[in-house]
Amino acid sequence: MTVPRFDELIHPPTRLSLVSLLAATEWAEFRYLREQLGLSDSALSKQLSVLEQAGYAEVRKSFVGKRPRTSVRLSRAGRHAFSGHVAALQQIVARSGVEPLRP
C-alpha cells in the first residue's frame, strides 16, 4: 500500500513531468526526455542533477562509438516518492469532488 506523501521536490511542473516520464520506463535516453519535455540540454541537466542529488534518479553515461549517451532511471527511492506524491495528489482531488480523468 502506498502512503500518500506530498513531495515538494517532485511537485514543480517540469520535475513532475520528468519524473512521470521516468516512472513509465526502465531507462530513458536524455535525448528522448529533452524532446518529450521541450527542454534545453542545460535545463534538463539541471533537473536531473536535482533528482540525482536527492537520490531519486540514477544517471548512466556511456559512449556509442565516439558519441556520448546519457540514460536515466528512477531509483527505488524515486519510484517510492513518486507513488506517494501521486497518492497525495489523488487524495487532494478526491476531496474536491471532481472526478479524476481516466486514461
Side-chain angles (χ1 to χ4, degrees):
M1 181 175 159
T2 300
V3 176
R5 181 174 177 275
F6 193 86
D7 192 307
E8 295 282 345
L9 186 85
I10 292 174
H11 192 67
T14 299
R15 218 169 294 140
L16 182 58
S17 296
L18 173 56
V19 173
S20 179
L21 277 173
L22 292 172
T25 64
E26 180 60 32
W27 285 94
E29 298 291 327
F30 185 92
R31 187 173 79 191
Y32 169 78
L33 296 170
R34 183 189 65 217
E35 290 168 1
Q36 290 298 306
L37 298 170
L39 296 174
S40 66
D41 286 358
S42 62
L44 178 55
S45 291
K46 181 180 176 183
Q47 297 302 324
L48 291 173
S49 291
V50 169
L51 293 171
E52 186 177 28
Q53 288 173 3
Y56 285 4
E58 298 173 21
V59 177
R60 178 173 64 189
K61 295 185 183 271
S62 61
F63 283 87
V64 175
K66 294 183 178 185
R67 301 186 77 153
R69 177 165 291 164
T70 301
S71 301
V72 185
R73 76 174 175 182
L74 281 184
S75 66
R76 177 174 282 187
R79 287 189 182 279
H80 181 74
F82 180 65
S83 293
H85 188 71
V86 168
L89 293 173
Q90 288 171 332
Q91 214 174 44
I92 290 167
V93 171
R95 287 186 212 129
S96 74
V98 173
E99 188 66 30
L101 296 176
R102 300 284 178 212

